[in-house]
Amino acid sequence: MGANTLAYVVLLAMAFSVASASDPSPLQDFCVAVNDTNDSVFVNGKFCRDPKLAMPNDFFFSGLRLPGNTSNKLGSMVTPANVAQIPGLNTLGVSLARVDYAPYGLNPPHIHPRATEILTVLEGTLYVGFVTSNPDNRFISKVLYKGDVFVFPQGLIHFQLNVGPTNAAAIASLGSQNPGVITIANAVFGSKPAISADVLTKAFQVDKNVVEYLQSQFWTDNHTY
């Protein structure tokens, strides 16, 4: 009986661990975010305004109406609609982003450390894919057309490439109010301060001159904030 009880407790603990692996469940209807200047206090998310003071604009954002400016080296622009733009998203565990692509534009390999993404193509044709974790590192890819949907699991490297001669656009739905983004090339070769070239030379098994050249480049950030 003792062993069975212990097994039950372990399984229950694992269930709670899985359940808390994403944004915590809200404990009220909403929790409109406010910026707090008290640097001595931190919370997992944002502080809440008194619900009685909530206004319609706390739940509104017009920034996805127009295409983003894709005139950069990547030929793409991501316009987020997360808790930074919509305070009413605080504690609700969801957000959106609009992604615009110039002809043959790329949303480069990146990860969202806190969210799974569901991408819906609004216009154009996109070649998309993600890579699974070690040791398999399987590459799973698909060509998407208008109206198609594709899922990028949380934390996995993924990308989108416009393979058509016209502009493309997509909406990304994300399972976090603040999914975060780490663009692989920017993080590895454009970190501040720079990662030691010796580290990257051994990691990528290339000549040190190649690493130093890559570190000297200007790495485009295709996100608006």
Side-chain angles (χ1 to χ4, degrees):
M1 181 66 71
N4 290 339
T5 301
L6 178 60
Y8 175 77
V9 171
V10 170
L11 289 173
L12 190 62
M14 290 175 63
F16 276 115
S17 176
V18 171
S20 62
S22 59
D23 288 0
S25 298
L27 301 178
Q28 60 281 320
D29 289 342
F30 52 81
C31 175
V32 176
V34 294
N35 292 321
D36 191 281
T37 57
N38 185 351
D39 291 337
S40 64
V41 179
F42 295 88
V43 295
N44 185 23
K46 290 181 176 288
F47 290 100
C48 304
R49 180 183 303 154
D50 185 338
K52 296 183 178 64
L53 302 178
M55 302 295 290
N57 280 347
D58 292 328
F59 305 91
F60 171 78
F61 179 59
S62 63
L64 304 188
R65 291 180 182 176
L66 300 176
N69 183 1
T70 60
S71 58
N72 54 59
K73 288 184 178 181
L74 295 171
S76 68
M77 182 56 66
V78 179
T79 305
N82 57 44
V83 71
Q85 292 78 33
I86 309 174
L89 281 179
N90 193 35
T91 76
L92 298 186
V94 294
S95 60
L96 290 175
R98 172 176 176 148
V99 191
D100 291 285
Y101 314 81
Y104 310 108
L106 172 70
N107 189 15
H110 62 281
I111 68 171
H112 299 294
R114 295 181 290 276
T116 291
E117 173 182 343
I118 303 177
L119 187 82
T120 304
V121 180
L122 301 180
E123 296 289 345
T125 304
L126 299 178
Y127 171 55
V128 308
F130 65 85
V131 179
T132 66
S133 56
N134 298 354
D136 294 338
N137 297 133
R138 288 185 59 210
F139 177 48
I140 298 175
S141 64
K142 186 80 174 175
V143 175
L144 306 182
Y145 302 93
K146 181 177 179 179
D148 286 348
V149 174
F150 197 81
V151 175
F152 302 110
Q154 179 175 342
L156 298 187
I157 296 174
H158 60 284
F159 69 88
Q160 304 105 37
L161 174 68
N162 181 5
V163 293
T166 60
N167 292 334
I171 289 289
S173 304
L174 298 131
S176 171
Q177 68 182 42
N178 183 24
V181 62
I182 301 172
T183 305
I184 306 305
N186 300 42
V188 173
F189 297 110
S191 66
K192 299 178 181 64
I195 299 172
S196 167
D198 293 332
V199 172
L200 298 181
T201 297
K202 181 160 286 190
F204 287 95
Q205 297 293 292
V206 296
D207 189 270
K208 191 172 183 179
N209 291 332
V210 174
V211 170
E212 291 175 343
Y213 169 76
L214 290 172
Q215 289 182 316
S216 70
Q217 302 304 298
F218 174 77
W219 294 97
T220 300
D221 185 356
N222 66 333
H223 287 70
T224 60
Y225 297 99

